[in-house]
Amino acid sequence: MTSLFRKTFIIIIFITFSSNRAKSQTTGNYIKASIGYGSSSSYYIENYGSQDELDVMGGGLYLQGEYVVGIKSWYSLRAYAGAIFESVDKNQNVQNQPLYKVTTNAFLMGGKVRICAPIPWVAPFIEGGIGASIGKFETFTPNVNFNKSTVLLHIPFSIGLAVGRHKSLEIGISGYFHPTAKQSTGVFAVGYTFPID
């Protein structure tokens, strides 16, 4: 136990001293472009635990652009705009059953904040915020029937890594939660940041 405590203490000291020289993201203004795969699912797994358990999902292309204002090396504000286009593969094995589906085809916009760990070459980050989605939302499951073209509130949340000497390349997982439509969209995306100052 003493060895574990000693190693943890040494790692904390190393990170503390190296963070003064390393910047996980620099201050200034940037543009970030991202592309990835998005998948929407219902808040509920239908018939959970039974043989008829059903996890209804849709998937497709995700695109997003961000205007980044770096305030500190570890903190930034981000305005974003993007889009997600999803569809559902028809299951040919299910006969005489309704086609359950969860899809999002919408334009996304909003604001979020990012907090980074100031570690050289690889900076883990976490983001959160609030936004709006404009488009068509379908959540058709045995317990939910939501099918509207409307404007909905969404809550974005992301975790990921900014990598490279200047932390320009990013790999991350994001979630967009739509409480009204009883669905969430998970995204795996890569992004690249361009300085504009």
Side-chain angles (χ1 to χ4, degrees), residues 39-113:
S39 179
S40 292
S41 65
S42 170
Y43 277 2
Y44 313 103
I45 296 177
E46 307 294 339
N47 301 319
Y48 183 75
S50 72
Q51 286 185 333
D52 298 326
E53 182 176 312
L54 181 64
D55 191 8
V56 184
M57 301 180 77
L61 178 66
Y62 167 82
L63 302 167
Q64 182 171 282
E66 297 180 14
Y67 179 74
V68 182
V69 179
I71 297 173
K72 298 284 187 182
S73 63
W74 55 271
Y75 178 77
S76 64
L77 300 175
R78 294 164 178 262
Y80 64 90
I84 188 159
F85 307 101
E86 296 178 345
S87 62
V88 175
D89 291 332
K90 292 185 178 181
N91 186 350
Q92 301 300 326
N93 298 327
V94 179
Q95 299 295 325
N96 300 320
Q97 295 281 338
L99 177 61
Y100 296 127
K101 60 182 175 178
V102 179
T103 60
T104 301
N105 289 287
F107 176 72
L108 313 168
M109 62 182 171
K112 55 188 176 178
V113 297

Side-chain angles (χ1 to χ4, degrees), residues 147-180:
N147 184 353
K148 288 187 180 179
S149 295
T150 186
V151 178
L152 296 180
L153 168 80
H154 71 250
I155 301 166
F157 177 79
S158 303
I159 58 171
L161 296 172
V163 297
R165 182 174 182 187
H166 301 290
K167 310 296 187 293
S168 298
L169 181 64
E170 295 182 8
I171 303 165
I173 299 171
S174 301
Y176 295 89
F177 302 94
H178 294 95
T180 305

